[in-house]
Amino acid sequence: MSDLARPLAEAAERLFARRCGAERVNAAERGEWPQDLWHAVEELGAAKLLVPEPRGGAGGDWQDACALLKKAGEHSVPLPLAETLLAAAALARAGMEIPAGPLSFACAGPQARLERGSRGWRLSAQLAGVPWGAQSTALVLALARGEREPPLLACLPRASFEAVPGRALCGEPRDAVSLSAVEIAQQNAAVLDSVDALAWGALGRAALIAGALRRALALSVEFSRQRVQFGRPIGQFQAVQHHLAVLAEETAAANVACDAAAGACGTPWELACIAAAKTRAGEAAGIGARIAHQIHGAMGITCEHVLHQSTRRLLTWRDEYGAEAYWARRLAECFRSRGDAPLWSLVSAATGREAAA
């Protein structure tokens, strides 16, 4: 983790606590774009955190990014912060220009038709659930081209595609994007070597989940202290204490798995650790949302209470960029590709290298 992480996370905490209250989140879910909040995030340098300093960024690493995204998840920040971070990092890695403003980031599989054109590439695709597609200044797409070919990274200006606005369960924009023989100039496309774009997206979602779980835990602890039943706070009942303990365990597990994956980025164990983090965070999201609502009872399902802002995001983010089953299979493939070495020796070797580093 760089020296930037702590002051940036502290500055983000102050900003989000001051400008990202429940009413701001609710207004964003109704379709209001929080332009002043976006400007404040840009002034922090958060949007280009993963971009190297020579390219005009902050030169941070994935540990810095996850620390920031946890704060965003904790406050349900209604901005494409994770998407812009990922898109800018991918464009910088590919040596491409980074557009100003909020960016959308998505991965396209075999459903996209990519052909060579006279001046670059020609792309046709129908993409569902693109995060913040209509609100972005550009859509950055990682396009799969085959099992043995590295993906192609394409940067599409907002004017080059149609976006039909849609909403996810959490209220955030998830738009239907239509691309019909869109011409991609050579300067707006590059091969993305040594990068698993889907894994980057999964790590970003794992960090958001870890932050939202922190919020759900804090709300549940506070409610258990204030809610009185049978003459005493419900937090004094053993059954409620057990639920809180499990919620705390799930929150800690998601945060630790996310931190481990962020620390493994750039190492041979990057993909395996990200797969483990997204799998564990997804499991924690489902368990955590259920327990938080059990503790809050009927109060927790009302629109007036803020718990739903966190739990709806938990249930949305767990399925994006690959759900638990997908990343569990990828994790098994990572270990299987290591040959006949015993599983425990591989795990201990990986953790030993991380501890030494």
Side-chain angles (χ1 to χ4, degrees), residues 13-65:
E13 171 66 30
R14 292 192 296 270
L15 172 64
F16 298 154
R18 186 173 67 253
R19 296 197 186 184
C20 196
E23 287 303 318
R24 171 59 63 88
V25 177
N26 288 334
E29 292 183 9
R30 292 193 297 268
E32 297 180 20
W33 170 253
Q35 187 64 40
D36 60 326
L37 181 60
W38 175 256
H39 281 318
V41 168
E42 283 190 313
E43 289 175 0
L44 277 181
K48 292 186 177 181
L49 177 58
L50 292 172
V51 177
E53 292 184 32
R55 295 292 308 275
D61 57 25
W62 270 104
Q63 290 177 304
D64 304 329

Side-chain angles (χ1 to χ4, degrees), residues 114-123 143 145 149 152-154 181-186 188-191:
L114 189 65
E115 302 172 345
R116 279 284 189 181
S118 58
R119 294 180 295 175
W121 297 87
R122 187 178 297 111
L123 174 64
L143 298 158
R145 297 189 297 161
E149 290 186 281
L152 185 77
L153 191 73
V182 174
E183 293 283 349
I184 306 174
Q186 291 184 356
N188 289 333
V191 173

Side-chain angles (χ1 to χ4, degrees), residues 15-16 18 60 64 68 70 75 96 106 129 141 168 186 202 213 232 238 245 265 274 293 318 322 324 342:
L15 172 64
F16 298 154
R18 186 173 67 253
D64 304 329
L68 174 64
K70 285 180 183 181
H75 291 274
M96 297 164 61
L141 270 178
Q186 291 184 356
L213 282 168
R232 56 176 173 165
Q238 186 175 10
C265 287
I274 291 176
H293 279 287
R318 69 179 297 189
E324 297 100 286

Side-chain angles (χ1 to χ4, degrees), residues 82-83 86 104-107 131 174 197-205 278 316-323 326-327:
E83 290 77 13
L86 298 171
S104 180
F105 180 80
C107 299
R174 297 293 187 270
L198 187 65
W200 279 12
L203 181 53
R205 286 298 187 263
K278 186 59 164 66
T316 298
W317 292 334
R318 69 179 297 189
D319 290 332
E320 294 184 326
Y321 296 103
Y326 172 82
W327 284 110

